[in-house]
Amino acid sequence: MRFSYSIIRLASLAVLLTACQQNKGNKEAAKKGPDSAAVFLLRKDTVNKQITFPAELIPLERAEIFAKVSGYVGTLKVDIGDKVSKGQLLAVLEAPEAIANYAQANADVQTARSRYLGSLDAYKRIVNAAKVEGTVAAGELEKAKSLMMADSAALNAARSKTNAFAQLKDYLTIRAPFSGIVTQRNVDPGTLVSAGTPKPLLVVENISTLRLRVPVPESYTAANTGTPVINFTVDAQPDVTYQAKLSRKAGALNLANRTETWEFLFTNSNNQLKSGMFANAVLKLGRNAPTFLVPSSAVATNLEKRFVIRLKDGKAEWVDVRNGINLGDKIEIFGDLSVGDTLLTRATDEIKAGTALVSKFPRT
């Protein structure tokens, strides 16, 4: 009996102790309240950054010269590295059939001209004779006129054919389209060439001025360069800095890599640089007006969106943003934000929208 009574007393004591502990925990939770979070006030600031982009040097002009007619390379006047002037003779092709066709066309013109002059003279005589009534029948007059007109048309056709063969004959002489330098030679005297040859006979480039083409990522395309002149270096001369001036922008993005091509011109007066060289272009980018800059940790990204967390009326609120220029420790953002908004210094998707938080500003 005494043993049963002791068990009941122990059970009552355990229940009482558990209740006290629960009440203590509830009081501590109520006393603790919402969590605090480090925050800052959103401000606008000037954005300026110096970024290095990979670039490429290409010639101002480049022409791949192909044969327009079939023939053999008779004479080759230039080789790689030779400087040429506009209109200078580069090569002469030999095509005996083209020469023969031109000679035949010339002979056809002479024959057609003789026929036309004969029919024209006959037509004029009949016209003069027809002035005396009853001398020439009306049908004879029309017949002479038709023959004269047919011979005139044949003469014009022969002349057009001759002009066409003359043009083909001119294609046998290959001349430089502009002043520059020969950078490729893919034929030798005696090589058979035609309009369908896959490789060009020669390649001529104008490298007196080089185009420096820089692919600029989409997020930087709206930035202001500040000055049209930029510095760049090349791998062959890493210790030398060159300057180029902005000439034009593509005005559209390359869909393959989401970049816009910016083209700068470099005066290559002493031919110190070569086309095809890779370069490192240094661009100083900025905005025309101040924009929002936040710590990089204030922007969170998940599978669905990129956002910052704004604290409004003590509750967390997700605000979608788009990134701009990345300054390393800070990043430019765009979104439905206002100056003076309270943002969390470290955003994470673990803090859900609507979570109660207490602002914790940094000590000044």
Side-chain angles (χ1 to χ4, degrees), residues 346-362:
R346 186 172 297 278
T348 173
D349 56 2
E350 294 180 358
I351 301 176
K352 305 300 181 183
T355 302
L357 295 171
V358 175
S359 303
K360 184 180 179 181
F361 288 95

Side-chain angles (χ1 to χ4, degrees), residues 227-304:
T227 172
V229 178
I230 66 166
N231 295 330
F232 72 94
T233 60
V234 295
D235 294 340
Q237 304 174 32
D239 56 337
V240 181
T241 300
Y242 297 96
Q243 289 188 329
K245 187 175 181 180
L246 180 64
S247 173
R248 58 185 61 82
K249 298 180 181 180
L253 295 182
N254 183 334
L255 299 182
N257 54 18
R258 308 300 301 176
T259 61
E260 181 186 23
T261 299
W262 291 9
E263 187 174 277
F264 300 80
L265 295 182
F266 169 72
T267 302
N268 193 27
S269 55
N270 297 322
N271 292 340
Q272 62 266 46
L273 297 181
K274 306 179 187 304
S275 65
M277 281 183 166
F278 290 110
N280 296 305
V282 180
L283 272 64
K284 296 179 181 179
L285 301 177
R287 301 292 185 189
N288 293 326
T291 57
F292 292 126
L293 283 178
V294 299
S296 299
S297 60
V299 181
T301 304
N302 58 21
L303 296 177
E304 299 178 355

Side-chain angles (χ1 to χ4, degrees), residues 289-318:
T291 57
F292 292 126
L293 283 178
V294 299
S296 299
S297 60
V299 181
T301 304
N302 58 21
L303 296 177
E304 299 178 355
K305 61 176 66 180
R306 180 180 289 111
F307 60 93
V308 296
I309 300 178
R310 178 168 55 193
L311 200 59
K312 187 175 182 180
D313 298 330
K315 299 293 181 71
E317 180 183 19
W318 287 14

Side-chain angles (χ1 to χ4, degrees), residues 3 71 121 126 173 190 221 253 272 313 337 340 355:
F3 180 72
D121 182 66
I126 292 177
T173 57
T221 54
L253 295 182
Q272 62 266 46
D313 298 330
L337 298 167
T355 302

Side-chain angles (χ1 to χ4, degrees), residues 48-65:
N48 288 296
K49 184 178 182 180
Q50 181 172 291
I51 311 176
T52 301
F53 293 112
E56 183 182 10
L57 289 166
I58 64 173
L60 182 65
E61 298 174 291
R62 184 177 187 273
E64 295 184 347
I65 300 175

